[in-house]
Amino acid sequence: MGRIRILSDDVANKIAAGEVVERPASVVKELLENSLDAGATHLRVEAGGGGRHLIRITDDGCGMLRDDAMLAFERHATSKLSSARDLLSVSTLGFRGEALPSIASVSRLTLETRSRDETVGTKVEIAGGKMLRCEEAALAGGTQITVRDLFYNVPARKKFLRSDQTELAHIASLATHYSLANPDKTFTLISDDKELLNTTPVDRLRDRVYQVFGSQTLDELIDLGERRGGEHALYTLRGFISRPQAAKLNRNSIYLFANGRLIRDRLLLHAITSAGYNILPPGSFPFALLFLECDPADVDVNVHPAKTEVRFREQSRVHDFVRDALRQALIESKPVSAIPLPARAQPGAQLPYSEFSQRIENQGWQGPSELPSALPAAPAAEGPLPEFTLRGPRPPAPRFDFSDAPAIPVADEQQLRIPVPETHGAFPPELVPDLSQSLTALADLRPLGQIHESFIVAAGRDGLWIIDQHVAHERILFEKILKQRAAGRVEAQRLLTPLVLQLTLAQQADYDRIAGELEAIGFETEPFGQRTIAVKAAPAGVGAAEVEKVIFEILEIAERELRRASLDDLRRSIAASIACQAAIKVNMRLDQGKMEWLLKSLAATECPMSCPHGRPIALRYSLRDILRGFHRI
Ligand SMILES: Nc1ncnc2c1ncn2[C@@H]1O[C@H](COP(=O)(O)OP(=O)(O)OP(=O)(O)O)[C@@H](O)[C@H]1O
Ligand SMILES: [Mg+2]
């Protein structure tokens, strides 16, 4: 690393300025980033009292020359930047020359450092920004910075610190995630003499994930491998995303790194949420650990004082690339729901700082907010003959009344009980079901009949399948509508008499904004007096009786989605809404031909395992479970 210089006013003024030190974890973040920039391979973090009393970071990086050790505490003193031009392609984590002076001004700080180019090291002591001492010291190569009594001279900020445990959790999360971003380095975290983290260098990110989270969590994650995208700029995405069944109820377990920098980026958060759209249940979010790499010139890191936000040169390309890569990974991994059903998405373990995480989530991110070990455990399949409880289906209003017989009412509370044998233990290898095979097995299913005129029971190569006829048809129609929409060839049908709808002022505004989308999807509408529209045609499958409901639903979606300004999401929501209305319902008798058609068409969809709202479509009672049930294995 070059010698430290003070940035000219011109460059300094171009740097996003603001408060750098908010809490102990922000100190740890800045110091760890400095150590990484210094090329350290061993990084040791010590914390006392959640970092309030003591934070010490020791590294074996390049160290500092004596003159630099003093200069480093001046504002805008950095070795990482010299001209405004350098700001356009920052390849180090630091660049502002702000961190050390900011930390030193609110603590008692000791810097001990030795560059390998000098025989003797330097020790500098500062309190509240005032240099107390600077002397020579016999030191090994590298740097150690000790920060004591954080905010001792700023009681107002000290007041806002949370419990030691909460502050420690933030530090732990940070150290853990920087260790994940740097698998080839050793990270140690010690709190009040207890070792919380110790990672040895490994070759692959996967191995580091294993070291940090353990094998059970690794099993719940999809390894993205390396995915590339972009046109002018090249983006590479690596990392992990949780399998759909391990989704979480908030965004706290999403960790994003852009060129090795931990960031909280709205655009990428939106891309991640959109990826799960129509695959994960609504309101659930994946655990994600994503590393996005690109040329430093294609991303502006100088947009946020705490360096936690970035701006990509091709914002929407990056968004779509990440969304599509993740969506593809989720679709590829979507398993058949086994019986018993996996538990619904659970919030991470209620850690003592979750209330705080919520608060900072609402306010925008200030630092990682949850210990990453909180992935929900896989549902246990232990104990003798557990009972599978299926809630009675929630019947949407019946639409296609194929049968003349009255529909069998299914109360919400009504439950069907099917005993299920335990599923653990050894299993002959030739019978171990392969997930990808079981997906292709869908195409070979032989329908045997219906339960409750709602669920198709089918025999397959690998076991007994139960398919929810409504959501299966919904998935088929959803993908068909999206394809037709993309090709500009939607099927529409004229209504015998135009339907006149009265809109509220807000609905009128939403209608004006999305009239083009409505038309493109098959609704022929036109204004008909004040705040009134006439609907003359609707997408095929949506009967006259449902048109009103679908239009109002779409206007509601438009209100929600347009605020987030994603046309792709709006289209998918509209397609899901139409598919839901047009799909066959539960409590409807299907003949053999219809059942066969439904299963074949389902097998041909891209994501046959979950409906556009994220509910499972098929349950499988595997051959293994059947054999176990009959005590044959
Ligand atoms: N652990 C370290 N090892 C070697 N040099 C360091 C270390 N920490 C800081 N330095 C030197 O001190 C300088 C000032 O550090 P500081 O963190 O204040 O600024 P920066 O890293 O350049 O920018 P930023 O404010 O964005 O972090 C760095 O540019 C670097 O030259
Ligand atoms: Mg720095």
Side-chain angles (χ1 to χ4, degrees):
M1 202 179 300
R3 300 287 304 263
I4 298 180
R5 284 171 296 265
I6 308 268
L7 296 176
S8 68
D9 286 352
D10 175 43
V11 183
N13 290 338
K14 289 197 168 68
I15 288 176
E19 204 43 69
V20 175
V21 188
E22 203 215 347
R23 60 181 347 157
S26 0
V27 173
V28 173
K29 177 174 183 283
E30 293 296 342
L31 299 185
L32 276 181
E33 290 188 350
N34 279 348
S35 298
L36 288 166
D37 281 344
T41 57
H42 287 72
L43 300 96
R44 179 185 165 93
V45 183
E46 288 166 80
R52 299 152 170 270
H53 311 317
L54 170 83
I55 296 167
R56 177 178 292 136
I57 313 272
T58 313
D59 72 49
D60 61 349
C62 66
M64 288 182 238
L65 297 169
R66 184 184 165 82
D67 293 350
D68 284 351
M70 287 190 287
L71 206 53
F73 293 96
E74 297 287 329
R75 282 202 70 202
H76 302 306
T78 180
S79 57
K80 302 169 191 176
L81 209 67
S82 52
S83 68
R85 232 182 110 79
D86 295 346
L87 266 179
L88 301 177
S89 61
V90 176
S91 58
T92 45
L93 296 168
F95 56 87
R96 310 156 305 178
E98 288 256 352
L100 288 184
S102 302
I103 299 168
S105 69
V106 292
S107 67
R108 301 181 212 278
L109 184 149
T110 306
L111 162 73
E112 292 163 275
T113 187
R114 181 167 78 81
S115 156
R116 284 172 224 287
D117 297 336
E118 283 181 338
T119 48
V120 66
T122 308
K123 180 171 172 181
V124 178
E125 279 178 41
I126 302 184
K130 286 204 184 63
M131 179 108 39
L132 304 178
R133 205 166 291 125
C134 175
E135 57 197 28
E136 287 189 353
L139 297 168
T143 302
Q144 181 176 79
I145 296 184
T146 308
V147 177
R148 292 184 201 276
D149 304 331
L150 186 64
F151 299 146
Y152 80 97
N153 54 349
V154 216
R157 255 190 271 172
K158 200 169 177 177
K159 224 171 50 202
F160 281 100
L161 294 183
R162 291 305 184 101
S163 68
D164 289 3
Q165 212 184 357
T166 303
E167 296 302 337
L168 177 64
H170 285 274
I171 292 174
S173 177
L174 204 88
T176 305
H177 284 86
Y178 269 104
S179 84
L180 286 159
N182 298 276
D184 56 339
K185 304 193 163 153
T186 303
F187 283 79
T188 317
L189 170 64
I190 293 163
S191 161
D192 297 319
D193 296 331
K194 269 222 284 304
E195 189 175 272
L196 301 184
L197 178 77
N198 189 353
T199 57
T200 48
V202 285
D203 289 339
R204 299 181 310 165
L205 172 61
R206 192 181 175 77
D207 299 331
R208 177 59 52 97
V209 171
Y210 174 79
Q211 281 180 336
V212 172
F213 296 121
S215 64
Q216 189 183 344
T217 299
L218 195 56
D219 286 346
E220 293 189 355
L221 300 178
I222 305 166
D223 189 343
L224 297 172
E226 191 175 286
R227 295 174 189 242
R228 288 161 184 274
E231 260 173 53
H232 307 297
L234 182 70
Y235 303 99
T236 310
L237 183 69
R238 292 177 305 118
F240 292 84
I241 183 166
S242 53
R243 296 186 185 281
Q245 62 274 35
K248 319 264 287 178
L249 293 183
N250 57 43
R251 293 186 182 84
N252 290 347
S253 301
I254 295 178
Y255 289 91
L256 299 169
F257 288 80
N259 287 350
R261 181 191 304 283
L262 184 57
I263 54 161
R264 195 70 176 172
D265 186 272
R266 280 173 174 279
L267 176 88
L268 292 181
L269 276 178
H270 185 266
I272 294 169
T273 320
S274 306
Y277 198 55
N278 304 122
I279 299 175
L280 302 185
S284 65
F285 303 91
F287 163 99
L289 178 65
L290 302 180
F291 298 94
L292 187 65
E293 306 283 338
C294 64
D295 188 314
D298 292 323
V299 56
D300 183 2
V301 293
N302 182 29
V303 292
H304 188 268
K307 299 179 287 185
T308 51
E309 284 170 22
V310 294
R311 192 172 301 124
F312 294 96
R313 202 153 60 94
E314 301 177 315
Q315 292 278 76
S316 65
R317 278 229 171 79
V318 174
H319 173 276
D320 293 358
F321 160 60
V322 171
R323 180 198 61 205
D324 295 345
L326 296 184
R327 184 177 286 162
Q328 199 51 43
L330 284 170
I331 288 175
E332 282 161 13
S333 85
K334 181 80 189 181
V336 185
S337 294
I339 299 172
L341 269 172
R344 286 210 50 169
Q346 294 293 328
Q350 284 309 305
L351 297 162
Y353 42 88
S354 57
E355 172 227 325
F356 185 76
S357 351
Q358 203 53 53
R359 192 167 69 82
I360 57 179
E361 177 156 53
N362 296 342
Q363 293 176 347
W365 189 72
Q366 306 298 331
S369 52
E370 192 181 38
L371 266 182
S373 56
L375 269 188
E382 308 257 321
L385 289 181
E387 211 163 23
F388 160 51
T389 308
L390 174 67
R391 291 189 59 111
R394 211 165 26 96
R399 214 189 74 65
F400 285 150
D401 216 354
F402 286 155
S403 66
D404 292 328
I408 304 166
V410 183
D412 241 14
E413 294 70 36
Q414 189 175 343
Q415 299 185 331
L416 312 171
R417 286 172 181 280
I418 303 169
V420 174
E422 55 185 325
T423 52
H424 55 86
F427 191 70
E430 70 277 14
L431 292 178
V432 174
D434 172 339
L435 217 59
S436 55
Q437 266 178 22
S438 70
L439 288 180
T440 41
L442 245 183
D444 301 332
L445 289 186
R446 195 157 40 84
L448 305 173
Q450 281 171 291
I451 303 176
H452 253 296
E453 302 196 326
S454 303
F455 306 106
I456 299 172
V457 180
R461 266 190 272 155
D462 58 349
L464 176 77
W465 290 61
I466 305 176
I467 290 113
D468 181 327
Q469 64 195 38
H470 169 68
V471 291
H473 197 204
E474 213 178 329
R475 167 55 67 182
I476 297 165
L477 291 178
F478 170 69
E479 291 193 9
K480 182 173 149 188
I481 294 166
L482 277 184
K483 276 202 190 98
Q484 290 180 344
R485 169 69 186 81
R489 278 190 287 106
V490 291
E491 285 169 28
Q493 68 203 12
R494 301 220 127 251
L495 302 179
L496 282 178
T497 48
L499 179 72
V500 177
L501 298 178
Q502 189 80 47
L503 307 182
T504 63
L505 207 61
Q507 284 169 335
Q508 176 71 52
D510 288 325
Y511 169 76
D512 292 340
R513 280 187 295 178
I514 65 155
E517 267 310 307
L518 280 172
E519 192 183 338
I521 204 87
F523 286 103
E524 192 185 320
T525 61
E526 61 185 43
F528 189 78
Q530 220 192 5
R531 280 198 267 133
T532 309
I533 56 167
V535 187
K536 296 180 165 173
V542 179
E546 284 80 39
V547 171
E548 179 172 349
K549 184 164 182 274
V550 183
I551 295 255
F552 283 127
E553 205 172 286
I554 291 174
L555 289 175
E556 209 183 301
I557 294 166
E559 195 195 338
R560 226 174 38 225
E561 295 293 341
L562 275 185
R563 250 187 276 129
R564 289 194 264 144
S566 161
L567 198 57
D568 181 76
D569 286 354
L570 174 67
R571 283 184 190 155
R572 294 176 78 85
S573 293
I574 293 177
S577 172
I578 295 170
C580 182
Q581 284 308 314
I584 52 168
K585 301 293 184 264
V586 290
N587 298 318
M588 189 175 293
R589 202 181 161 71
L590 300 180
D591 62 27
Q592 187 71 15
K594 282 208 181 69
M595 288 193 285
E596 278 169 16
W597 173 85
L598 198 71
L599 297 187
K600 284 244 149 25
S601 311
L602 179 64
T605 59
E606 230 179 73
C607 183
M609 289 309 144
S610 62
C611 85
H613 302 103
R615 279 162 39 200
I617 292 177
L619 303 179
R620 188 189 49 160
Y621 194 26
S622 72
L623 186 56
R624 166 165 79 164
D625 291 337
I626 295 172
L627 290 171
R628 280 197 178 286
F630 287 116
H631 296 194
R632 287 185 173 273
I633 54 168

